[in-house]
Amino acid sequence: MKFLGISGSPSEASKTLIAVRTAVEQAGAYPEVSADVLNLRDHDVQFSDGRDPATYTGDTRDVIDRVVAADALVVGTPMYRGGYTGRLKNLFDVLPNDALEGKPVGLIATGGTDHHFLAIEHELKPLVGFFRAYAVPGAVYANNTHFSAGELVDDDIRRQLRRLAANVVEFAARVPRDLIGTDGPEIPRKALNDA
């Protein structure tokens, strides 16, 4: 099983990346799981222009291929003004529409305070639903008080992240990928110049 943790944080000293890595380490403890982190900050992903995702090259192609190849994922983002980062939004904009179909996705969000906690429900879960993926119940939200000197210091948040990763792995192992409900509308991808 390929397990991918995605950090959508633009920050060099990223609390989100710390949280994602904690979950990925838990997933990697399973002998049947190959776990890896995709830190979007480290990749030059082109801005989406609506084209067919198959035409992207370079870093963008590599990032798309890693997401498509994953069997299970955790996706983390800092919350800014009640929403996820533009870096993460752009990733989802360049992905093929079926990139996450039938896959379990654990959600992780960070913020200065608990003020943006519900953004997981109103922003991230609908995004995952658009891709016909499963948002695994029990998303994790961590605020600034859970970190100190570049480390996650809150035992409960660490426990939640480990449990989230374990649940994503178990979900991927038990639920067939073809249990995705009915077909949605066909949504063609074109560049503006093709219109």
Side-chain angles (χ1 to χ4, degrees), residues 71-184:
D71 300 301
L73 303 96
V74 291
V75 175
T77 181
M79 290 297 179
Y80 300 128
R81 299 180 186 255
Y84 49 90
T85 65
R87 192 175 297 265
L88 188 62
K89 169 73 166 109
N90 189 58
L91 169 66
F92 281 98
D93 286 345
V94 299
L95 288 176
N97 293 338
D98 62 353
L100 302 177
E101 198 168 86
K103 298 178 184 181
V105 180
L107 299 172
I108 300 169
T110 59
T113 68
D114 288 339
H115 185 73
H116 298 298
F117 173 76
L118 287 178
I120 293 170
E121 300 295 326
H122 297 287
E123 295 283 329
L124 295 177
K125 286 186 178 179
L127 177 65
V128 169
F130 169 83
F131 283 91
R132 300 174 75 194
Y134 293 101
V136 173
V140 178
Y141 186 90
N143 67 45
N144 284 352
T145 67
H146 300 135
F147 299 87
S148 179
E151 292 186 24
L152 177 58
V153 296
D154 187 276
D155 289 337
D156 187 53
I157 296 297
R158 275 201 300 273
R159 180 192 59 76
Q160 289 178 42
L161 289 165
R162 289 192 299 266
R163 184 171 179 198
L164 177 66
N167 288 342
V168 171
V169 168
E170 289 295 323
F171 194 106
R174 294 180 186 203
V175 177
R177 293 261 305 270
D178 60 353
L179 292 180
I180 54 173
T182 62
D183 292 335

Side-chain angles (χ1 to χ4, degrees), residues 9 27 30 37 40 43 54 66 68 93 118 127 149 153 175 181 188 193:
S9 176
Y30 288 83
V37 173
L40 292 178
H43 299 275
R66 287 176 69 184
V68 169
D93 286 345
L118 287 178
L127 177 65
V153 296
V175 177
N193 295 338

Side-chain angles (χ1 to χ4, degrees), residues 38 40 43 45 59-68 91:
L38 172 60
L40 292 178
H43 299 275
V45 178
D59 255 10
T60 307
R61 170 88 270 130
D62 293 339
V63 165
I64 290 171
D65 289 346
R66 287 176 69 184
V67 173
V68 169
L91 169 66

Side-chain angles (χ1 to χ4, degrees), residues 7-30:
S7 172
S9 176
S11 301
E12 186 172 354
S14 170
K15 295 174 180 76
T16 300
L17 181 58
I18 293 168
V20 167
R21 282 185 174 147
T22 302
V24 168
E25 287 169 9
Q26 173 65 35
Y30 288 83

